[in-house]
Amino acid sequence: MEQDTLDLRNIDSQTAEWLVGIGITTNKAFLKLGAEKTFKLLIEAGFEPSTDVLYALKGAEEDLDLDIIAKRERKRAKSRFADMDES
């Protein structure tokens, strides 16, 4: 995986555009922030990512396929950001 470009596992073209839109243009920049901080920044920037985007970001961070992310991680991540829609 190249660190000087944005080429992350599980990340589709729409999400990649959003990442560039918030200034994340390399894998290294993404990994420095992490999945949860990146997800929060997407929301703060006015994008409307689904929880599937959060799971994809977590998979990208851990270099795992989306389907391999543990159920407990999905539940934990979802609960941490569930109330962000209300903010």
Side-chain angles (χ1 to χ4, degrees):
M1 181 166 38
E2 291 291 322
Q3 294 297 309
D4 60 349
T5 61
L6 186 61
D7 182 25
L8 297 164
R9 186 179 205 151
N10 303 315
I11 303 302
D12 64 12
S13 60
Q14 176 67 64
T15 304
E17 287 179 24
W18 290 351
L19 294 177
V20 170
I22 61 169
I24 299 174
T25 58
T26 66
N27 291 2
K28 185 176 181 179
F30 166 73
L31 293 171
K32 184 176 181 179
L33 287 173
E36 293 177 8
K37 177 69 173 173
T38 298
F39 187 76
K40 184 176 178 182
L41 289 172
L42 287 171
I43 292 170
E44 290 172 355
F47 297 107
E48 297 180 2
S50 68
T51 52
D52 286 339
V53 171
L54 177 58
Y55 306 151
L57 291 170
K58 191 66 177 169
E61 180 180 43
E62 297 180 18
D63 197 25
L64 295 172
D65 286 339
L66 181 60
D67 295 334
I68 297 175
I69 301 299
K71 279 187 177 181
R72 73 178 191 277
E73 178 61 35
R74 289 180 184 204
K75 288 179 184 177
R76 184 184 71 81
K78 187 174 181 178
S79 69
R80 288 183 75 187
F81 293 102
D83 63 340
M84 292 187 89
D85 288 332
E86 299 170 8
S87 299

